[in-house]
Amino acid sequence: MVYHGLKGITCVETSISHIDGEKGHLIYRGHDAKEIALHASFEEAAYLILFGSLPQPAELLDFNEKLIAERPLPEHIQYLIQRLPENMDDMSVLRTVISALGEASYTYPPKTEEAIRLIAITPSIIAYRKRWVQGEKAIAPSSQSGHVENYYYMLTGERPAESQKKALEAYMILAMEHGMNASTFSARVTVSTESDLVSAVTSALGTMKGPLHGGAPSAVTKMLEDIAEKSQAEKYLAEKLEKGERLMGFGHRVYKTKDPRAEALRQKAEEVAGNDRDLDLALHVEAEAIRLLEIYKPGRKLYTNVEFYAAAVMKAIHFEDELFTPTFSASRMVGWCAHVLEQSENNMIFRPSAKYTGALTV
Ligand code: ACO
C-alpha cells in the first residue's frame, strides 16, 4: 500500500494544536484559537503555543522584553539583504536570510531562546527588504510597540489605526499554527535528523513558498477585482463553475464546515473596513459563492476558507499581495518553532519507505 502525500497518516503525537474539521474548531493548547485571535495579543498567543499555557503578567513582560531585544538586524544580515538581486522574490529572500542566521551557536537540541529570536527577527527582515527594494530608508524597530504594530511600523513608517492593528493581529494569530501542514512537517523532518532550529525553519520556509501551501491570496484578490460589481458576481461565479473551475477561497481539505479562521477574520475585516465598497463586494461574493457551490457541488460541504478573508483583511489594511506569504510565514514561525522543540523532546528520525517501480535486473 502506498499512501500518496501521506494523506490520512498520523505520524506524530502533538499537544500544540487540534483541528476538528467537522465541527469547525481550531484548538491551540486547549484554547479556542478563534477566541484567542479575537481577545489576546500576538505575544500572548505565541507564548501559549511555545510554552503550553497563557502567560502570567510577569511572564508576558519577560517574553515581550526578549522579543523586543531580538528585533534589530545584525549588520551582516543588513548587508546580505542589500546584496540579494532585486528581482529575487520575497519568500526566497526570507529563506536565504533566515538561513544566514544559523551561526555556530545553533546546535541540537533547539532552545526556546533561539525560537524567540527567530520569531522576533522575521518581521524585521521582511520590512527591511521591502523598503530596500522600494528605495526607502530602513526604519529601526520601535521598542514602544508590540510585535504586530512594530511590523506595520517598520514596513510603512506609520502607526496603524487600532482597528487595522487588531485585524492584522487576528490574522497573525490565526496563521500561527495549523497541525501537521506541509511546512511544519518539513521542519519536524529536518530536526529529526538532529539538525538545528535554523535549518528546520529554513526547510519550512522552502515548503511554505509553494502555491499549494503558502497560498495565493492574489487569486482571491484577482477574482474580486474581475467581478468588480455586485451585479456581476452571480454570472461570473456560475460561469466558472459551469467550466469546472474552482472558486478561490472556498473549500478545505480538513474543514467540512465554515473555517473558524475565516469567521474570525471576517469580523475583523468588518471592523477595519466598515462600509467599505471592497468589503461589501467580498461579503456579497461570499454569499453568492456558497449558494452556487451548494447547487453545482451538492453535498461537498464547500465553505469559505481562511484565504478568502485573509485577502480581505490584507486589502483593508492596504498590504500588497506580495506581503501575504511572508506575513503568513512570520506568523507560522511560532508554530514551526513549537513543533521543532516538541519533536526534539521525543525524537525519532523520519524515514518512510518507497515502493520501487523501476526495472529489476537481478
Ligand atoms: N470550487 C469549486 N469546486 C470545488 C472547490 C472550489 N473551491 N473545492 C472543492 N471543489 C469540488 C471539487 O471539484 C470536487 O468536486 P467533484 O466531487 O465533483 O470532483 C469536490 O469539491 C472535492 O474536491 P477535492 O479537491 O477532493 O477537495 P479537497 O478537500 O481535497 O480540496 C482544496 C481542498 C484544495 C482547498 C479545494 O477546496 C480547492 O481547490 N479550493 C480552492 C483553492 C483555495 O481556496 N485554496 C486555499 C485553501 S486554504 C489554505 O490552504 C491555507
Side-chain angles (χ1 to χ4, degrees), residues 116-131:
I116 291 170
R117 181 178 191 219
L118 289 169
I119 294 164
I121 209 167
T122 302
S124 305
I125 296 169
I126 299 167
Y128 189 97
R129 171 68 181 186
K130 184 90 309 339
R131 293 187 72 85

Side-chain angles (χ1 to χ4, degrees), residues 179-244:
M180 201 43 48
N181 56 85
S183 58
T184 299
F185 182 56
S186 281
R188 287 189 82 130
V189 169
T190 301
V191 83
S192 82
T193 68
E194 299 197 354
S195 184
D196 58 273
L197 179 60
V198 164
S199 300
V201 300
T202 303
S203 298
L205 281 161
T207 308
M208 177 63 105
K209 183 171 183 266
L212 291 188
H213 181 29
S218 46
V220 175
T221 316
K222 182 167 183 318
M223 178 178 77
L224 292 173
E225 281 169 5
D226 285 351
I227 294 174
E229 298 286 339
K230 284 205 277 190
S231 57
Q232 299 296 318
E234 183 178 3
K235 184 167 172 281
Y236 177 96
L237 297 169
E239 273 176 15
K240 284 229 168 246
L241 291 168
E242 291 281 354
K243 283 192 253 166

Side-chain angles (χ1 to χ4, degrees), residues 7 178 211-217 219-220 240-241 244-256 259 261 289 293 296-308 324 328 332:
K7 192 174 177 181
H178 209 237
L212 291 188
H213 181 29
V220 175
K240 284 229 168 246
L241 291 168
E245 289 180 25
R246 292 186 177 217
L247 305 183
M248 289 298 127
F250 297 88
H252 196 276
R253 173 64 59 82
V254 184
Y255 294 114
K256 297 305 167 200
D259 182 334
R261 301 169 297 172
L293 283 166
Y296 283 87
K297 296 282 174 184
R300 308 312 198 284
K301 299 183 177 174
L302 300 169
Y303 296 97
T304 326
N305 65 43
V306 68
E307 296 235 332
F308 189 83
F324 183 91
F328 187 178
R332 187 55 62 83

